[in-house]
């Protein structure tokens, strides 16, 4: 497959068109950002670690019956994916209370949430990704009722699969964000699943092993991502 022109460059990845209309190349850069792009930095090896991490998770989800956009690893920092029409909504599941949920609702940090919660956010940095609901989605044409239903169902399915995967690696899947898109009328999980878009705590110590290390200036960001990869058995180049 040939890499052609750049389609879009976001905060952490660049998307390229290819000589195949139905596929794109996702290039994972070393850039990292938080607080809607207010805090930015470059972290050596992050693009490589996230590309391999994402490939491992997407392939695992696919074997468990979740339709994903992932096609194949092309290099240490690039993957081929299905070209999707992205739905501009972020689906968030929380298994443990932390972050913006605690600020918004005044609930204690670290509570086991039973059942887990599901939230939708509009993908819009200028508006700071406001929380929306399925009625907003339909009214403003971001997603139909059936699409929201399917995204909700798949996000919960992913929760069951990944809670178990991380639990077996002595990690708690605290919360995470998923993005979906469509190709030929089918909904696929798109974008990425990496420690950039989820929270992972060590099961015993509750040490943070995700992007909160960057948000909170704790250091050892990529080292933490690599620790998670090692525990899961993600093959990483030296
Ligand atoms: P955010 O960090 O809030 O997700 P961003 O646009 O800065 O936003 P990046 O990860 O840097 O995020 O960019 C990747 C972009 O590619 C996102 O806009 C994402 O929605 C889009 N994207 C992901 N997968 C696909 C796909 N299969 N087809 C088309 N676009 C995709
Ligand atoms: P949340 O607690 O709402 O965000 P904050 O980081 O502001 O406390 O996020 C819940 C989870 O979803 C967390 O793991 C980060 C992830 N997420 C993103 O990666 N991007 C987003 O735009 C949103 C809304 C959430």
């Amino acid at each position: 497959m040939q890499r052609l022109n750049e389609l879009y460059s976001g905060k952490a990845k660049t998307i390229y068109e290819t000589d195949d209309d139905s596929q794109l190349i996702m290039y994972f850069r070393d850039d990292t950002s938080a607080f809607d792009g207010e805090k930015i930095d470059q972290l050596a090896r992050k693009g490589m670690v996230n590309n391999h991490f994402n490939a491992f998770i997407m392939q695992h989800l696919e074997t468990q019956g979740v339709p994903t956009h992932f096609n194949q690893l092309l290099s240490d920092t690039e993957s081929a994916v299905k070209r999707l029409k992205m739905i501009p909504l972020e689906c968030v599941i929380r298994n443990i209370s932390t972050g913006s949920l605690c600020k918004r609702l005044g609930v204690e940090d670290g509570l086991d949430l039973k059942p887990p919660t599901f939230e939708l956010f509009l993908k819009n940095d200028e508006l700071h990704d406001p929380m929306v609901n399925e009625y907003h989605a339909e009214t403003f044409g971001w997603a139909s009722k059936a699409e929201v239903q399917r995204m909700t169902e798949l996000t919960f399915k992913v929760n069951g699969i990944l809670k178990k995967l991380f639990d077996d690696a002595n990690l708690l899947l605290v919360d995470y964000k998923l993005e979906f898109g469509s190709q030929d009328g089918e909904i696929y999980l798109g974008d990425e699943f990496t420690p950039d878009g989820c929270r992972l705590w060590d099961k015993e110590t509750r040490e943070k092993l995700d992007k909160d290390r960057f948000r909170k200036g704790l250091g050892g960001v990529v080292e933490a991502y690599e620790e998670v990869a090692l525990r899961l058995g993600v093959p990483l180049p030296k």
Side-chain angles (χ1 to χ4, degrees):
M1 186 190 322
Q2 226 186 318
R3 178 167 131 173
L4 300 180
N5 55 299
E6 181 181 311
L7 189 64
Y8 176 76
S9 191
K11 297 190 289 293
K13 301 193 290 301
T14 304
I15 309 289
Y16 295 91
E17 293 190 300
T18 70
D19 51 350
D20 176 346
D21 275 355
S22 68
Q23 292 196 73
L24 296 172
I25 291 175
M26 220 164 58
Y27 165 55
F28 288 77
R29 308 195 311 270
D30 284 342
D31 299 302
T32 193
S33 74
F35 313 119
D36 299 320
E38 263 176 47
K39 179 173 177 172
I40 49 172
D41 209 346
Q42 282 240 318
L43 301 173
R45 291 172 64 83
K46 197 198 75 147
M48 180 274 286
V49 172
N50 275 3
N51 184 41
H52 284 281
F53 195 107
N54 178 62
F56 180 89
I57 297 285
M58 291 279 170
Q59 282 167 327
H60 181 68
L61 292 173
E62 198 79 53
T63 65
Q64 304 292 304
V66 177
T68 80
H69 70 156
F70 183 80
N71 285 341
Q72 60 169 322
L73 272 173
L74 296 175
S75 71
D76 278 346
T77 50
E78 295 165 302
S79 290
V81 298
K82 285 193 176 61
R83 182 181 195 136
L84 301 181
K85 183 173 180 293
M86 294 304 288
I87 294 169
L89 297 172
E90 310 196 313
C91 298
V92 171
I93 280 196
R94 301 171 188 271
N95 295 305
I96 299 177
S97 63
T98 196
S100 68
L101 179 81
C102 296
K103 278 198 207 115
R104 186 163 16 99
L105 302 180
V107 297
E108 201 182 311
D109 200 287
L111 298 176
D112 280 344
L113 301 177
K114 291 193 183 131
T117 64
F118 177 86
E119 298 162 345
L120 283 174
F121 295 88
L122 177 66
K123 221 175 131 62
N124 185 322
D125 280 346
E126 265 169 49
L127 298 177
H128 308 290
D129 294 347
M131 196 173 177
V132 295
N133 64 33
E134 67 270 35
Y135 293 91
H136 297 127
E138 197 184 2
T139 300
F140 298 110
W142 300 318
S144 68
K145 237 190 203 119
E147 285 173 330
V148 172
Q149 226 167 43
R150 180 71 176 142
M151 292 194 295
T152 308
E153 176 194 16
L154 287 173
T155 307
F156 274 102
K157 181 165 179 151
V158 166
N159 199 40
I161 298 164
L162 295 189
K163 257 199 325 196
K164 162 97 175 68
L165 183 81
F166 287 115
D167 186 71
D168 290 345
N170 220 24
L171 293 160
L172 293 168
L173 176 59
V174 173
D175 56 28
Y176 60 92
K177 177 266 295 181
L178 300 181
E179 290 182 31
F180 295 88
S182 64
Q183 190 185 76
D184 299 331
E186 282 299 310
I187 299 280
Y188 295 90
L189 173 61
D191 205 44
E192 66 179 288
F193 191 102
T194 68
D196 269 359
C198 69
R199 288 191 173 98
L200 297 163
W201 294 350
D202 179 87
K203 211 155 60 175
E204 266 90 56
T205 63
R206 297 211 159 194
E207 184 190 7
K208 296 178 198 308
L209 296 169
D210 54 63
K211 194 167 157 184
D212 266 353
R213 299 200 70 83
F214 175 70
R215 292 191 190 94
K216 293 173 182 288
L218 299 174
V221 180
V222 179
E223 289 80 358
Y225 291 19
E226 287 181 298
E227 165 68 22
V228 174
L230 184 75
R231 289 197 203 180
L232 291 178
V234 178
L236 289 182
K238 290 261 151 49

Coordinates of all heavy atoms in Angstrom, one line a residue, residues 22 67 82-87 144-151 153-154 180-189:
S22 N -10.4 2.7 0.3 CA -11.1 2.2 1.5 C -10.2 2.2 2.7 O -10.6 1.8 3.8 CB -11.7 0.8 1.2 OG -10.7 -0.1 1.1
P67 N -16.3 -5.3 15.9 CA -15.8 -4.8 14.6 C -14.9 -3.6 14.7 O -15.4 -2.6 15.2 CB -17.1 -4.5 13.8 CG -18.2 -4.4 14.8 CD -17.7 -5.0 16.1
K82 N -9.3 0.9 8.1 CA -10.5 1.2 7.2 C -10.7 2.7 7.3 O -10.7 3.3 8.3 CB -11.7 0.5 7.8 CG -11.8 -1.0 7.5 CD -13.2 -1.5 7.8 CE -13.3 -3.0 7.5 NZ -12.4 -3.8 8.3
R83 N -11.0 3.2 6.1 CA -11.4 4.6 6.0 C -12.8 4.8 6.5 O -13.8 4.2 5.9 CB -11.3 5.2 4.6 CG -11.6 6.6 4.5 CD -11.5 7.1 3.1 NE -11.5 8.5 3.0 CZ -10.6 9.2 2.3 NH1 -9.8 8.7 1.5 NH2 -10.7 10.6 2.3
L84 N -13.0 5.5 7.6 CA -14.4 5.6 8.2 C -14.9 7.0 8.1 O -14.1 8.0 8.0 CB -14.4 5.3 9.7 CG -13.9 3.9 10.1 CD1 -14.0 3.7 11.6 CD2 -14.7 2.8 9.4
K85 N -16.2 7.1 8.1 CA -16.9 8.4 8.2 C -17.1 8.5 9.7 O -17.9 7.8 10.3 CB -18.2 8.4 7.5 CG -18.9 9.7 7.5 CD -20.2 9.7 6.6 CE -20.9 11.0 6.6 NZ -21.5 11.3 7.9
M86 N -16.3 9.4 10.4 CA -16.3 9.4 11.8 C -17.5 10.0 12.4 O -18.0 11.1 11.9 CB -15.0 10.1 12.4 CG -13.7 9.4 12.1 SD -13.6 7.7 12.6 CE -13.5 7.9 14.4
I87 N -18.0 9.5 13.5 CA -19.2 10.1 14.2 C -18.5 11.0 15.3 O -17.7 10.5 16.0 CB -20.0 8.9 14.8 CG1 -20.7 8.1 13.7 CG2 -21.0 9.5 15.8 CD1 -21.3 6.8 14.2
S144 N -27.6 8.9 14.4 CA -29.0 8.5 14.5 C -29.2 7.7 15.8 O -28.2 7.3 16.5 CB -29.4 7.6 13.4 OG -28.7 6.3 13.5
K145 N -30.5 7.5 16.2 CA -30.8 6.7 17.4 C -30.2 5.3 17.3 O -29.6 4.8 18.3 CB -32.3 6.6 17.5 CG -32.9 7.1 18.8 CD -34.3 6.7 18.9 CE -35.0 7.7 19.9 NZ -36.1 8.5 19.3
A146 N -30.3 4.7 16.1 CA -29.8 3.4 16.0 C -28.2 3.4 16.1 O -27.7 2.4 16.7 CB -30.2 2.8 14.6
E147 N -27.6 4.4 15.6 CA -26.1 4.5 15.7 C -25.7 4.6 17.2 O -24.7 4.0 17.6 CB -25.6 5.6 14.9 CG -25.6 5.3 13.4 CD -25.2 6.5 12.5 OE1 -25.5 7.7 12.9 OE2 -24.7 6.3 11.4
V148 N -26.4 5.5 17.9 CA -26.1 5.7 19.3 C -26.3 4.4 20.1 O -25.4 4.0 20.9 CB -26.9 6.8 20.0 CG1 -26.7 6.9 21.5 CG2 -26.5 8.2 19.3
Q149 N -27.3 3.7 19.7 CA -27.6 2.4 20.4 C -26.5 1.4 20.1 O -26.0 0.7 21.0 CB -28.9 1.8 19.8 CG -29.9 1.3 20.8 CD -31.2 1.0 20.2 OE1 -31.3 0.5 19.1 NE2 -32.3 1.4 20.9
R150 N -26.0 1.3 18.9 CA -25.0 0.4 18.5 C -23.7 0.8 19.2 O -22.9 -0.1 19.7 CB -24.8 0.4 16.9 CG -23.8 -0.5 16.4 CD -24.2 -1.9 16.5 NE -23.2 -2.8 15.9 CZ -22.8 -4.0 16.3 NH1 -23.4 -4.5 17.4 NH2 -21.9 -4.7 15.7
M151 N -23.4 2.1 19.2 CA -22.1 2.5 19.8 C -22.1 2.2 21.3 O -21.1 1.8 21.9 CB -21.9 4.1 19.7 CG -21.6 4.5 18.2 SD -21.0 6.1 18.1 CE -22.4 7.1 18.6
E153 N -23.9 -0.2 22.8 CA -23.8 -1.7 22.9 C -22.3 -2.1 22.8 O -21.8 -2.9 23.6 CB -24.7 -2.3 21.8 CG -24.6 -3.8 21.7 CD -25.3 -4.2 20.4 OE1 -25.5 -3.4 19.5 OE2 -25.6 -5.4 20.3
L154 N -21.6 -1.5 21.8 CA -20.2 -1.9 21.5 C -19.3 -1.4 22.6 O -18.3 -2.1 23.0 CB -19.8 -1.4 20.1 CG -20.3 -2.2 18.9 CD1 -20.0 -1.5 17.6 CD2 -19.9 -3.6 18.9
F180 N -16.2 6.0 17.2 CA -16.7 5.1 16.2 C -16.9 5.8 14.8 O -17.0 7.0 14.8 CB -18.1 4.5 16.6 CG -18.0 3.6 17.8 CD1 -18.1 4.1 19.1 CD2 -17.7 2.2 17.7 CE1 -17.9 3.3 20.2 CE2 -17.6 1.4 18.8 CZ -17.7 1.9 20.0
G181 N -17.0 5.0 13.8 CA -17.3 5.6 12.5 C -17.9 4.5 11.6 O -18.1 3.4 12.0
S182 N -18.3 4.9 10.4 CA -19.0 3.9 9.5 C -18.4 3.8 8.2 O -17.7 4.7 7.7 CB -20.5 4.3 9.4 OG -20.6 5.6 8.7
Q183 N -18.5 2.6 7.6 CA -18.1 2.3 6.2 C -19.2 1.4 5.7 O -19.5 0.4 6.3 CB -16.7 1.7 6.2 CG -16.2 1.6 4.8 CD -14.8 0.9 4.6 OE1 -14.8 -0.3 4.7 NE2 -13.8 1.6 4.5
D184 N -19.7 1.7 4.5 CA -20.8 0.9 3.9 C -21.9 0.5 4.9 O -22.3 -0.6 4.9 CB -20.1 -0.4 3.3 CG -19.1 -0.1 2.2 OD1 -19.2 1.0 1.6 OD2 -18.1 -0.8 2.1
G185 N -22.3 1.5 5.7 CA -23.5 1.3 6.5 C -23.2 0.5 7.8 O -24.1 0.3 8.6
E186 N -21.9 0.0 8.0 CA -21.6 -0.7 9.2 C -20.8 0.2 10.2 O -20.0 1.1 9.7 CB -20.6 -1.9 8.9 CG -21.3 -3.1 8.3 CD -22.3 -3.7 9.2 OE1 -22.0 -4.0 10.4 OE2 -23.4 -4.0 8.7
I187 N -21.1 0.0 11.5 CA -20.3 0.8 12.5 C -19.1 0.0 12.9 O -19.2 -1.2 13.2 CB -21.2 1.1 13.7 CG1 -22.5 1.8 13.3 CG2 -20.5 1.7 14.9 CD1 -22.3 3.3 13.2
Y188 N -18.0 0.7 13.0 CA -16.7 0.1 13.4 C -16.1 1.0 14.5 O -16.3 2.2 14.5 CB -15.7 0.1 12.3 CG -16.1 -0.8 11.1 CD1 -16.8 -0.3 10.1 CD2 -15.7 -2.2 11.1 CE1 -17.2 -1.1 9.0 CE2 -16.1 -3.0 10.1 CZ -16.8 -2.5 9.0 OH -17.1 -3.3 8.0
L189 N -15.4 0.3 15.5 CA -14.6 1.0 16.4 C -13.4 1.6 15.7 O -12.7 0.9 14.9 CB -14.1 0.0 17.5 CG -13.1 0.6 18.5 CD1 -13.7 1.8 19.3 CD2 -12.6 -0.5 19.5

